[in-house]
Amino acid sequence: MVAIGVAVAATITLVCLPAPAPLRAPAPAMPATLAAAWPKARVDTVPGLLPTGDTYQMAAVLDDGATVGIASRPQRPGSRLVVVSHRNVRVLASITQAGVPGFTAIATDAARVYWAATVDVAGSARTSLWWASRRGGAAHRLVADAGPATFNQSQYDLQVSGGRLRWVDANSARSVPVTGGAVAVRPIPAGYTPLAWPWFTSPAGLYDAAAQVRTSVRVGPGATCGRAWCRVSRRGELDLLRPDGSDRHRLGGGSAAAALVDVTPLDRFEVVSVAAPAGASGPPLSELLLYDIRRRRSVELAATAASVHARAGYLWWSTVVAGTSSWHLLNLRNLG
């Protein structure tokens, strides 16, 4: 309390009132259904079992509706990178080694699919980078040895920007022209992971690698930040805040958790999973919610989802019904 002295003839008694309780974000309302929130929203289904008999793990969506992913089967060691379109399957590359990371990152542009392949060479992991045309043709190796590449299941692990394919290791950003050539190495501060080039993020703040400028954030510990929003998981509560600490959104508490590595797809949505009750049998399943920042509401996408991914404005998740897996694909850009 700040006291202002005023000369008066009477005796004044100061009463100290208890400090007001800190403001808290309101608890989220019960989620609406996708159909109720966006009647024109369309969710496409992609089988989790290909006509070839392989299980299919979706990894990217192409603008023409085709998808890119990893095909595998227990009877065959290794895996294959494939493009799936209207149940047609095109093999881009194969890895025949068992027990290796395999296809560790994927990127796309208007003309090509790019990927990182990590295999064992003389007892050590080695990552090479490749590309293939989206229209067909053979795969082409771009980089034979990408160095100690670091991939975190983020859409920014491998990305195309400024005519270069970009990736990182523990303390540097690496890139190569998409037409081929020498690999360029640019140091970055330790502890930062990539966002869309030239930005990087860490619990301490953001870093612009082009300008070599760091920007602090004011959201406290336990934060994961993008350029527009920070996600904070603390004391059993999951929130979104602006990097300056303003505009708090309460996403949930208890068993609510972020479903994606990357924060707020399109800077408008956050994807939240709510774990099934303890003791549930079968594979780990979660209720999947889409939080709309603009409208401050949650929408249920699936009562039980097994795996969730997002890239370039697309969101997809898998469900398992009677032992059969399916992928469900939603274009977030079409939600008004």
Side-chain angles (χ1 to χ4, degrees):
M1 172 175 288
V2 178
I4 301 176
V6 179
V8 294
T11 300
I12 300 176
T13 301
L14 297 179
V15 179
C16 294
L17 299 176
L23 294 177
R24 300 176 67 87
M30 292 297 292
T33 64
L34 182 65
W38 292 285
K40 295 183 179 180
R42 189 182 79 182
V43 177
D44 295 320
T45 300
V46 178
L49 185 67
L50 298 177
T52 58
D54 294 80
T55 59
Y56 182 53
Q57 177 80 21
M58 271 182 61
V61 182
L62 304 181
D63 293 338
D64 57 7
T67 65
V68 182
I70 299 168
S72 61
R73 67 176 70 176
Q75 304 88 345
R76 185 187 63 227
S79 57
R80 299 188 295 178
L81 185 68
V82 298
V83 176
V84 178
S85 177
H86 308 296
R87 298 186 66 83
N88 294 319
V89 179
R90 173 193 169 200
V91 178
L92 299 178
S94 297
I95 292 177
T96 57
Q97 284 184 336
V100 297
F103 300 104
T104 42
I106 294 172
T108 64
D109 63 15
R112 296 177 173 181
V113 177
Y114 303 85
W115 64 91
T118 303
V119 299
D120 180 85
V121 177
S124 298
R126 179 177 296 177
T127 298
S128 54
L129 303 178
W130 301 73
W131 69 270
S133 170
R134 289 169 55 160
R135 293 182 296 178
H140 305 268
R141 190 172 67 185
L142 198 57
V143 176
D145 186 351
T150 301
F151 301 126
N152 297 307
Q153 299 185 23
S154 164
Q155 65 175 321
Y156 306 115
D157 284 342
L158 189 67
Q159 56 181 292
V160 181
S161 174
R164 304 184 72 88
L165 184 64
R166 302 181 184 275
W167 69 103
V168 301
D169 61 25
N171 53 20
S172 67
R174 301 183 175 222
S175 67
V176 65
V178 296
T179 53
V183 173
V185 180
R186 181 194 299 252
I188 58 173
Y192 282 81
T193 56
L195 300 172
W197 176 262
W199 288 91
F200 290 76
T201 183
S202 81
L206 303 172
Y207 176 68
D208 181 342
Q212 299 184 5
V213 172
R214 301 193 202 198
T215 304
S216 61
V217 295
R218 301 177 181 178
V219 294
T224 302
C225 292
R227 293 203 52 205
W229 292 96
C230 293
R231 181 174 61 218
V232 180
S233 179
R234 192 162 54 235
R235 296 188 296 271
E237 295 172 341
L238 185 65
D239 292 343
L240 285 179
L241 302 89
R242 292 291 189 180
D244 64 2
S246 66
D247 197 12
R248 181 184 295 267
H249 294 244
R250 174 60 39 79
L251 303 182
S255 58
L260 301 172
V261 172
D262 300 322
V263 179
T264 56
L266 302 181
D267 292 335
R268 179 183 165 186
F269 302 100
E270 181 67 348
V271 187
V272 178
S273 64
V274 180
S281 60
L285 299 174
S286 300
E287 181 185 20
L288 189 65
L289 305 177
L290 181 67
Y291 181 79
D292 183 351
I293 297 171
R294 183 185 303 169
R295 301 186 181 184
R296 289 182 174 266
R297 69 178 180 184
S298 292
V299 173
E300 185 184 71
L301 298 178
T304 53
S307 183
V308 187
H309 305 272
R311 176 187 293 270
Y314 290 96
L315 173 69
W316 61 96
W317 62 95
S318 66
T319 58
V320 180
V321 177
T324 300
S325 175
S326 299
W327 292 98
H328 308 277
L329 173 63
L330 175 64
N331 187 345
L332 297 176
R333 297 182 188 277
N334 291 339
L335 302 183

